[in-house]
Amino acid sequence: MASEDISKLADSLAKTQVGDGELSFKGRGLKLNDAEAAEEMVKEIEAFSGLQALRLEGNTVGVQAAEAIAKALRNKKDLEKCYWSDMFTGRLRSEIPPALISLGEALMSAGACLTELDLSDNAFGPDGVRGIEDLLKSTSCFTLRELRLNNCGMGVGGGKILAAALIECHQRSSEQGTPLRLKVFVAGRNRLESEGATALSRAFKLMGSLEEIHMPQNGITHSGVTALANALQDNPHLRVINLNDNTFTSKGAKSMAQGLKDLRNLEVINFGDCLIRSEGAIALAETLKEGLPSLKELNLSFGEIAEEAALKVASAVQHKSQLEKLDLNGNCLGEEGCESLKELMKSFNLDEILGSLSDDDGEPDEDEEKVEEEEEEEEEEEEEEEEEDRNILSSPAPQTSTTMPCTSVVDVSAFLGFPTAEKLMKLGPNRAMLIQQEVDVTDADKTTQVFLKIASLYKDGDNIKELVLTCVDTLLRKAFNSPSFQKEQFMSSLLILLGLIKQSEDKLKPVHVVPGHLLTLEHVVRQDYFPKQQISILLVFFSRPNQIMESCSSAHLTLKETLENLDPGS
């Protein structure tokens, strides 16, 4: 290397945050599309002796650039910590898995023994999990202590792949006498739902080494909560459990209360916005009385807890000497209930640790309580239906005579009135044609509503996905190819129903937007029947900030990226 090149490299390294074996490119905003763009970074990595930690956060790395970086990592056997969050901004979802595979193969080739892996804020979906699957199973991850995959849009399918990889890693490492002992697991905002959480709970139970679990905002309901609760019992060193903004209901909260009973090291419980309700809070109060001696923070905010249950929680923590914070804000105490809670905490000399009650929702009336009970029953019934759907999808098809006609065991109108995956299955092999025949495609509003009803059943990694897409394609192909179909009205209705524009009259009621709506639409816009001139219109509306899309951030990003790629004006 020429002296001038050495001097340039020394200057570059001096500007890079380097220390204790760490090389950082964090937050530089580098756009590395190919090997040439990554050349300087590659030189710095190659020149860094004893590399232990590499920070790539806040840059955007393409496939060819990742391959070049991977080549530089192939002899970095001392590398232990990979901080690789937010490093694929603006990349196509299809680019991310091969980039991750290249980097993972380099780590395995180098013989690196990772302790920390952070891939948060990379919207890679289930395919991205496939990209790190081999790495997670390999000897390079036998030593893994912290795994952070926050806000990656893994979905149910990705959660299952991840769980299987962790289980295999534990089995392989145990065979070598060094079982995987993961301590920190972070996977918030991933749409794992109960099925994904249940799969992961099996891995947690097997490892038994977790100290922190963070899984907020995942759409986990009582069955998934119950599975996690069961796994927690086998993780005695657990210090932090954060399941904020999932849907326990009292049934899940009772299971969780049982799961926490023997955890003597638990310091932080965050069950805020989890709808644990009064019955669940009372069950948790019993656990608080009997155990959890190390508890420092308890968040039961926004859980529809009434006064009596809140007072029982307060009474249960009176002897918790290490407690620093109790959050019961946003519940249903009423003005008098709030005062009673404050007075009770003051009598225990704990008034300073009680959080604000400024967002209290007031006392629930009898009608509200009845509605809550009905909603809980409906939620449980829906979960049972979903379980039946999964059983139907996973079981072999029944043997039928080739001479018998295939008939539907469910009426199409019944399906469209309240669509479920089970009903879609029971429509039989002619389901797509039956739905198409039921819909008058000259009515654009009706066609749009049916499209969204079917799309709501879409799930990543689920066999029902193919049935949904087939039915949607059959319906919309007929509609868009019909001379009398009002394409502009369809687009208008679609944007109204998704809550992206307001209507002059209350003719259409916006739907509750779920990822399936957006992922099915992402499929539709790529089909030959969809008018390409409408792409630009969709891109305008889906590029605007909108709170409605926050709960579907990964699906929203996938759709937006596809629209950008297809937009003739881009």
Side-chain angles (χ1 to χ4, degrees), residues 253-270:
K254 288 175 184 177
S255 298
M256 184 57 71
Q258 282 294 119
L260 299 180
K261 273 190 174 180
D262 298 322
L263 299 181
R264 300 190 61 79
N265 296 302
L266 195 59
E267 297 177 0
V268 178
I269 297 174
N270 186 346

Side-chain angles (χ1 to χ4, degrees), residues 50-70:
L51 181 65
Q52 295 177 15
L54 178 61
R55 290 190 173 275
L56 299 177
E57 312 105 306
N59 299 290
T60 176
V61 180
V63 176
Q64 293 178 6
E67 290 171 351
I69 295 167

Side-chain angles (χ1 to χ4, degrees), residues 26-37:
K26 181 178 180 179
R28 288 195 182 185
L30 301 173
K31 190 171 184 179
L32 309 178
N33 293 328
D34 49 34
E36 185 179 355

